[in-house]
Amino acid sequence: LRQGIAEVIYGAGKTTEQIAGISEAMLKAGQKNILITRLDKEKAEILSQTLPLHYDEMSRIGYLGELPEPDGTGTVLVATGGTSDMPVAEEAALTAEVLGNHVDRLYDVGVAGLHRLLAHLDEIMSAYVIVAVAGMEGALASVIGGLADCPVIAVPTSVGYGASFGGLSALLSMLNSCASGVSVVNIDNGFGAGYLASMINHMGGHK
Amino acid sequence: LRQGIAEVIYGAGKTTEQIAGISEAMLKAGQKNILITRLDKEKAEILSQTLPLHYDEMSRIGYLGELPEPDGTGTVLVATGGTSDMPVAEEAALTAEVLGNHVDRLYDVGVAGLHRLLAHLDEIMSAYVIVAVAGMEGALASVIGGLADCPVIAVPTSVGYGASFGGLSALLSMLNSCASGVSVVNIDNGFGAGYLASMINHMGGHK
Amino acid sequence: LRQGIAEVIYGAGKTTEQIAGISEAMLKAGQKNILITRLDKEKAEILSQTLPLHYDEMSRIGYLGELPEPDGTGTVLVATGGTSDMPVAEEAALTAEVLGNHVDRLYDVGVAGLHRLLAHLDEIMSAYVIVAVAGMEGALASVIGGLADCPVIAVPTSVGYGASFGGLSALLSMLNSCASGVSVVNIDNGFGAGYLASMINHMGGHK
Amino acid sequence: LRQGIAEVIYGAGKTTEQIAGISEAMLKAGQKNILITRLDKEKAEILSQTLPLHYDEMSRIGYLGELPEPDGTGTVLVATGGTSDMPVAEEAALTAEVLGNHVDRLYDVGVAGLHRLLAHLDEIMSAYVIVAVAGMEGALASVIGGLADCPVIAVPTSVGYGASFGGLSALLSMLNSCASGVSVVNIDNGFGAGYLASMINHMGGHK
Amino acid sequence: LRQGIAEVIYGAGKTTEQIAGISEAMLKAGQKNILITRLDKEKAEILSQTLPLHYDEMSRIGYLGELPEPDGTGTVLVATGGTSDMPVAEEAALTAEVLGNHVDRLYDVGVAGLHRLLAHLDEIMSAYVIVAVAGMEGALASVIGGLADCPVIAVPTSVGYGASFGGLSALLSMLNSCASGVSVVNIDNGFGAGYLASMINHMGGHK
Amino acid sequence: LRQGIAEVIYGAGKTTEQIAGISEAMLKAGQKNILITRLDKEKAEILSQTLPLHYDEMSRIGYLGELPEPDGTGTVLVATGGTSDMPVAEEAALTAEVLGNHVDRLYDVGVAGLHRLLAHLDEIMSAYVIVAVAGMEGALASVIGGLADCPVIAVPTSVGYGASFGGLSALLSMLNSCASGVSVVNIDNGFGAGYLASMINHMGGHK
Amino acid sequence: LRQGIAEVIYGAGKTTEQIAGISEAMLKAGQKNILITRLDKEKAEILSQTLPLHYDEMSRIGYLGELPEPDGTGTVLVATGGTSDMPVAEEAALTAEVLGNHVDRLYDVGVAGLHRLLAHLDEIMSAYVIVAVAGMEGALASVIGGLADCPVIAVPTSVGYGASFGGLSALLSMLNSCASGVSVVNIDNGFGAGYLASMINHMGGHK
Amino acid sequence: LRQGIAEVIYGAGKTTEQIAGISEAMLKAGQKNILITRLDKEKAEILSQTLPLHYDEMSRIGYLGELPEPDGTGTVLVATGGTSDMPVAEEAALTAEVLGNHVDRLYDVGVAGLHRLLAHLDEIMSAYVIVAVAGMEGALASVIGGLADCPVIAVPTSVGYGASFGGLSALLSMLNSCASGVSVVNIDNGFGAGYLASMINHMGGHK
Ligand SMILES: Nc1ncnc2c1ncn2[C@@H]1O[C@H](COP(=O)(O)O)[C@@H](O)[C@H]1O
Ligand SMILES: Nc1ncnc2c1ncn2[C@@H]1O[C@H](COP(=O)(O)O)[C@@H](O)[C@H]1O
Ligand SMILES: Nc1ncnc2c1ncn2[C@@H]1O[C@H](COP(=O)(O)O)[C@@H](O)[C@H]1O
Ligand SMILES: Nc1ncnc2c1ncn2[C@@H]1O[C@H](COP(=O)(O)O)[C@@H](O)[C@H]1O
Ligand SMILES: [Mg+2]
Ligand SMILES: [Mg+2]
Ligand SMILES: [Mg+2]
Ligand SMILES: [Mg+2]
Ligand SMILES: [Mg+2]
Ligand SMILES: [Mg+2]
Ligand SMILES: [Mg+2]
Ligand SMILES: [Mg+2]
């Protein structure tokens, strides 16, 4: 697996023509799986006419080729605080799936309703690497980080209003996590979290 | 109980003479309990020579008179995320005690070690009002707010380093709490939280 | 009264289908009063076709069931600095009404016209708990907090322009209030204030 | 009266020698009243040995020459929210006095204790120009601005802690004042407020 | 002249009906000049059908009644750094004119082209009070403040891009002005500056 | 390996007595390696008198017991932009060593002197996990992240002045890294980075 | 070459009529090359009907007259981190070309893919002045600044999301650059960078 | 002239031993002029005992070797707004002198006293490159940038109080300068400005 330069296209701010051109060049070069992030529905529809594109509206992810068989060491768990965090979580989850990981989803388990989180303790304890996605107070990363012994990749989201200041509140909260093993990526950067989770999950090599 | 103007002296930035003067006038006016916050140890020692001052070094609180018998409706629970939050927590706890409340302390139960918090679930569930004191990621308020059905007064602290930005991280986190029944006071404002807790605990009147 | 998880639906970012689904499940489970916050007019109109929804356009609150008889201890007073703060104030007021409180409204009594505020001194003095809603300089919470002896829940609003920075000015102002008994919720969080006011107003139990 | 370049020395960051040099040159040039702001006590003591310096410790203002007879149109009222704002207020008051104004002081009349402010309504109503000095929530400027019909110069102070962020809270609050006739100077800039107050009070000329 | 409460309507966020209602009540009460700020063109057109409204599109100011004869002491000079600052400047200028002031305009004299400013030195020196309107680096207030001996009311504008941060850059710059006699109002608050300028210009009374 | 709760003591804000007490209890409980972070030199000297403490002045890390044989999968590379970042880097490196990792150091290879970095390309390419420590512009994490295929843990430092704003500049820069596989911990949090690096390096188990 | 006052029109916020008027006056005054920045496509189309306008959509630059023969000392190199930075880069490049410079473009050479940058080392080393345009982490300026011996003008862009905060991240990063010879202009200010680059490239005079 | 890596030592945070070691190695390698910035007086005194160090207390610059004959194209003009900006200005000036430039100083010519600046118009017009150093409102860069036709390197300083926020006000102001040819370096970065000024002044080669 090379640095993602070849296989991942950041769709934001690229025209349909640019994306099609890059994709075709990659396919010609023998690339099998191509991940396109931040892809608008309209562009996806146009690309679908000429390319074998799968498109997921919630995460705004498109990919060319079939989802590979998972060949990582363990399971990547993607958890969210609320339902509004799902687009970012799905960006992480689908990224990890396209990169060959088995992914478990645990959505809407925010810390204000701890029982929902604790009801899934076994999934948390058995995950190989966890992506914790949350906006507003962002406490999910700390709580999960305190429970699990594996790396926790925290993704602050811009979900919220008022003093969430576009994700700043969750970002600061996650950076200040008192739990060990927690690190943070950019606000709304589901892709970055999914990619890193996959990298950790494949450090023993692709099976 | 009147607006605290009479009985509470904010010691910060006042000279020993000023504090002594105000206190003596109050005592003469028949006041029995006087609370002095943000009182330096040095000033406390000087005041002790002429006034019946009790002084607590950790909270930097001094009070004149004896601690009253608790006469509120229930128990005020003061919880902290870490040990470093204790000075602020004690400011809240002692304030509440001087104002006639029974206070329970639950310190160092930060969300990164959830079992410590859950081990005290009964204290949380039976409290009448809770003061949640935490720095860094400030997640304690949300977790407690989600567990308890009573008002939770969140106090962000300036404890931490780096991206805690002097308490800003905890403050934003607490303001964004997804748990209902949570409200917030100023960073390090243990007094304000203790005062409000006492107010709520006495709304049925002083017994 | 349980933690609001069951009875309150945060409508922002939920589809009409999702809201209808959750509501119907709640109703089937025997829930009588359901509060839906941040509900767009369009969604409300669709929901009205299949559900007994009352909808208030200003506060963007919908509720299923009839407004209950007020059964709290006293009166919840909701005050605003200006007329533009009314949507947030109504979110607080209606939330409190749906949760069984008698609510008084005192709108447009900002501190720049103190006489209007002072003309209602008796309402302020006789309230059991006060929600103070203000944008821009947010001074209302301090002034009311200084007059009243009951808990004051301050709600900063994003009303204003320039250096109000989306509610930051009012938020900071309210957090720094010199009046005791004042606590703060998130910018524009009328729901949170109304919920907490109701909680305090029902601490002696529902009559 | 020229732009203050000649008669005012900003003492911060200047050595005793520099201040003495500038002062002597001014005196030689016929200047009668020289105002030195932000002057440390130690420097003041050294300067006193060779120059006819009056020094006020609280405001850190020194002046050479005698206080002039007030020759402005009316009275400059300097009000503060708390006692800790007094150094900044005195910088304003003494500046105005040295520049030939009659000054009234109204200290510790913060809005959390509105009765103290209202007890002095006549002084507020009869002032010609008002300097309102306050830290923390800075509401004083709005309340006074709403009561009085004259220009109100608001001075935010760095007094406070936590979310006062070094005066930012009071500054934003004052800039967002809903009362007309209010303008703002830099945090802790008592000099600037006193100077402008004097300018307005002398617009009809020095009597 | 009373506190502007009666004669000025802040149009932002008010419906056409509300504005019409308030206006008619005022007219009935004998008010001759009514100023409506932040009035959208569409609302103005509707109001014109039933009220004798004059409307200025650039400043978004409407007024009822005729412009009064100027009866202030001197001239109010309104200056801007660029042409994009003109809407805010006109809000100040028209406000002052409706309130009975003679107004001079000096637009697009930003400090990057100092000769344009210096070419109008006599207007600057002879003004009775100056409103300095500028975005981006906001240096205009300092330069004019250094030249003139009269009060300078600085209005930062949100004109600019990038690190102007919606007017923050100009605001901070103006607050830090080294020139004496300068005070600041909120970003884009042309009305506040015009009102204060008029107040100062009428301190000797309306002629 | 459990969540570090047992084996790691955060020394900041703890008294020598508290640290000694916790350490002795841990030793008695059979713990062999105890890591104490943020330990002042003075406290370390006192602790050394009764405990078998090794102390490193630069990183302010103390540990009880002997450094274990490295038993992780590969090498942890710790790189810094400048020499001033070394205290934070050593906190990371020593943490990793105490937790059983082979650590390589690559200091002062900031991107302004790219040749120094490129001269060590083989160490970068062969590392199993990299900790990139940098203040000021924080570009090191991006450059290393672009070169290496392994996880890069970025640690912003508070080194710098002016617009580095206490590490904010490096923090934001690292969060915005365009290189995949990069995640970020709190400003100056060398411990957190070293702990996470060790966790990743031991995911195949301790050999 | 005079201060650009005459030859450059800042199109943002100017009407088509205003731009046409200024242009015609300039042409009449003998001006040959006129640069119009921030010109919308719609306005450009209208202007084209009466003026010999060349318009570039990406940079939103229009110019009247023919591109002059380059007469500067050397080559201006414009480099970007990503493709999304191209509009800003083209604003710089076209500005420089209109002002008489030979411009080389080196786009999408961000530091996360260092090999692409290093593949063009000779162009970097032989440039006379370099404009480095980058958003997000803004590391490009430091890396290029470390490689080249000529002045590097860094232009942060608002490209990015989340913690890029509208260009703040890149701005701070560039200001903190450890490489010597780097200076910074406003976020997205391609014009300013191109103008300064041209100024430096013509300091020996126009050939 | 190579990238300054060899000849310049950034003294902040380096021990006397480290500085001495690096210096001796450089001297041995044949280096004649070595510049040491941010050098404390105490360290300078120790270094003087073994090395031929010249030390300037105000700028905290030390250099080894003799000041070279100026061999640049023209004059580097260093200007400041106030006297408090002089340490930063001298860091720039001495850096430029050590690097072989003729330097003119124009101190305390802040824009609040424009006549002082205009009195030196010829020096401004004849400079080859200008370093404009100012704190507080930072308007100096814009005014000079508008007057001069040469590159202006703006250095914001941390001089000021209150809303100067450690140099942020001047920094933003300078970045937003409406004058063309102005670029900005970090707050208090006199060295960076002096280095870049020298680079521009030597682009025709060292004579
Ligand atoms: N306007 C609001 N602002 C903040 N929190 C809210 C609001 N409305 C509802 N909530 C909270 O959101 C919870 C329901 O969230 P959800 O499960 O996403 O519908 C409720 O229990 C409340 O605690
Ligand atoms: N405390 C102060 N804060 C802000 N500006 C001041 C202060 N004291 C004096 N000034 C200004 O500084 C100028 C004198 O500065 P200087 O020439 O450095 O002594 C005066 O004319 C005032 O405009
Ligand atoms: N330098 C540090 N920065 C942040 N967290 C730390 C640091 N050192 C230790 N910790 C965390 O603090 C916990 C111990 O905290 P305490 O119980 O207060 O000693 C450890 O388990 C770590 O997770
Ligand atoms: N894109 C731009 N960003 C910043 N300043 C610009 C830009 N384009 C032109 N300018 C400046 O604006 C001046 C013209 O402004 P104006 O007189 O409003 O057309 C020019 O001389 C330049 O200094
Ligand atoms: Mg963990
Ligand atoms: Mg609760
Ligand atoms: Mg009260
Ligand atoms: Mg008024
Ligand atoms: Mg002046
Ligand atoms: Mg990589
Ligand atoms: Mg270089
Ligand atoms: Mg110029």
Side-chain angles (χ1 to χ4, degrees), chain G residues 103-114:
Chain G
V103 175
D104 253 21
R105 286 146 170 97
L106 201 52
Y107 289 171
D108 198 18
V109 293
V111 299
L114 208 55

Side-chain angles (χ1 to χ4, degrees), chain D residues 3-5 8-10 14 37-38 91 189 191, chain E residues 178-180, chain H residues 161:
Chain D
Q3 162 60 10
I5 290 158
V8 188
I9 302 174
Y10 179 55
K14 295 216 172 66
T37 65
R38 308 280 159 113
E91 193 184 48
N189 190 3
F191 163 76
Chain E
C178 304
S180 304
Chain H
Y161 63 87

Side-chain angles (χ1 to χ4, degrees), chain G residues 24-43:
Chain G
E24 276 152 23
M26 284 180 176
L27 291 173
K28 220 167 269 176
Q31 194 68 35
K32 296 240 169 81
N33 285 292
I34 297 173
L35 180 69
I36 310 167
T37 66
R38 308 279 160 113
L39 183 64
D40 291 342
K41 201 185 171 183
E42 298 71 39
K43 292 184 189 166

Side-chain angles (χ1 to χ4, degrees), chain F residues 83, chain H residues 6-27 34-48 50-51 53 55 60-64:
Chain F
T83 53
Chain H
E7 311 90 346
V8 187
I9 303 174
Y10 178 57
K14 295 215 173 66
T15 62
T16 320
E17 291 73 36
Q18 289 177 309
I19 298 172
I22 306 172
S23 299
E24 276 152 22
M26 282 179 176
L27 292 175
I34 297 174
L35 180 70
I36 311 168
T37 64
R38 308 277 160 117
L39 184 64
D40 290 342
K41 200 185 172 184
E42 297 72 39
K43 291 184 189 167
E45 275 162 9
I46 299 174
L47 287 173
S48 297
T50 55
L51 286 167
L53 184 84
Y55 182 67
R60 290 165 57 218
I61 275 189
Y63 55 93
L64 300 172

Side-chain angles (χ1 to χ4, degrees), chain B residues 11-170:
Chain B
K14 295 217 172 64
T15 63
T16 319
E17 291 72 38
Q18 288 177 308
I19 297 171
I22 305 173
S23 299
E24 275 152 23
M26 283 179 177
L27 290 174
K28 219 168 272 176
Q31 194 69 35
K32 295 241 168 80
N33 286 290
I34 297 172
L35 180 68
I36 311 166
T37 65
R38 308 277 160 116
L39 183 63
D40 290 342
K41 201 185 172 184
E42 299 70 41
K43 291 184 189 167
E45 275 163 8
I46 299 174
L47 288 173
S48 297
Q49 297 169 0
T50 55
L51 286 167
L53 184 85
H54 299 85
Y55 181 67
D56 175 65
E57 207 172 320
M58 176 171 271
S59 63
R60 290 168 51 221
I61 275 189
Y63 55 94
L64 300 172
E66 294 308 307
L67 278 193
E69 277 302 295
D71 61 353
T73 307
T75 294
V76 173
L77 179 67
V78 180
T80 72
T83 52
S84 325
D85 302 314
M86 283 173 58
V88 177
E90 279 300 309
E91 193 184 49
L94 262 173
T95 294
E97 285 177 341
V98 172
L99 296 176
N101 298 274
H102 182 257
V103 175
D104 252 23
R105 286 147 170 95
L106 199 54
Y107 290 171
D108 198 18
V109 293
V111 298
L114 208 55
H115 55 283
R116 280 182 296 177
L117 186 69
L118 295 179
H120 294 274
L121 202 52
D122 51 340
E123 283 160 81
I124 292 170
M125 298 311 285
S126 63
Y128 194 77
V129 52
I130 302 179
V131 175
V133 183
M136 311 199 73
E137 94 266 63
L140 189 69
S142 280
V143 172
I144 288 186
L147 294 169
D149 274 341
C150 69
V152 174
I153 306 164
V155 191
T157 71
S158 56
V159 166
Y161 63 87
S164 78
F165 293 128
L168 180 66
S169 169

Side-chain angles (χ1 to χ4, degrees), chain C residues 111-115 117-118 135-139 142-143 145-147 160-165 168-170 172-180, chain D residues 111-115 117-118 135-139 142-143 145-147 160-165 168-170 172-180:
Chain C
V111 299
L114 209 54
H115 55 282
L117 186 68
L118 295 180
M136 309 200 75
E137 92 268 64
S142 281
V143 172
L147 293 170
Y161 62 89
S164 77
F165 294 128
L168 180 65
S169 169
L172 294 182
S173 180
M174 287 167 165
L175 284 167
N176 281 285
S177 173
C178 304
S180 305
Chain D
V111 297
L114 208 55
H115 55 282
L117 186 68
L118 295 180
M136 311 201 73
E137 92 268 62
S142 280
V143 172
L147 293 171
Y161 62 89
S164 78
F165 294 128
L168 180 66
S169 169
L172 293 182
S173 180
M174 286 165 165
L175 284 167
N176 280 284
S177 174
C178 304
S180 304

Side-chain angles (χ1 to χ4, degrees), chain H residues 115-128:
Chain H
H115 55 282
R116 278 181 296 176
L117 185 69
L118 295 179
H120 295 273
L121 204 53
D122 51 340
E123 282 160 80
I124 293 170
M125 300 311 284
S126 64
Y128 194 75

Side-chain angles (χ1 to χ4, degrees), chain H residues 47-206:
Chain H
L47 287 173
S48 297
Q49 298 169 357
T50 55
L51 286 167
L53 184 84
H54 299 85
Y55 182 67
D56 175 65
E57 207 172 320
M58 176 170 274
S59 63
R60 290 165 57 218
I61 275 189
Y63 55 93
L64 300 172
E66 294 308 308
L67 277 193
E69 278 301 295
D71 60 354
T73 308
T75 294
V76 173
L77 178 68
V78 180
T80 74
T83 53
S84 325
D85 302 314
M86 282 174 56
V88 177
E90 279 300 308
E91 192 184 52
L94 262 174
T95 293
E97 287 176 339
V98 172
L99 295 176
N101 298 274
H102 182 257
V103 175
D104 251 22
R105 286 148 171 94
L106 198 53
Y107 290 172
D108 199 17
V109 291
V111 298
L114 208 56
H115 55 282
R116 278 181 296 176
L117 185 69
L118 295 179
H120 295 273
L121 204 53
D122 51 340
E123 282 160 80
I124 293 170
M125 300 311 284
S126 64
Y128 194 75
V129 50
I130 302 180
V131 175
V133 183
M136 310 202 71
E137 93 267 63
L140 187 70
S142 281
V143 173
I144 289 186
L147 293 170
D149 273 341
C150 69
V152 174
I153 305 165
V155 191
T157 71
S158 55
V159 165
Y161 63 87
S164 79
F165 294 128
L168 180 65
S169 169
L171 170 62
L172 293 183
S173 179
M174 286 166 165
L175 283 167
N176 280 286
S177 173
C178 304
S180 304
V182 177
S183 63
V184 187
V185 297
N186 195 6
I187 297 165
D188 290 336
N189 189 6
F191 164 74
Y195 187 98
L196 176 55
S198 173
M199 187 185 259
I200 294 172
N201 196 29
H202 284 89
M203 287 185 77
H206 291 258

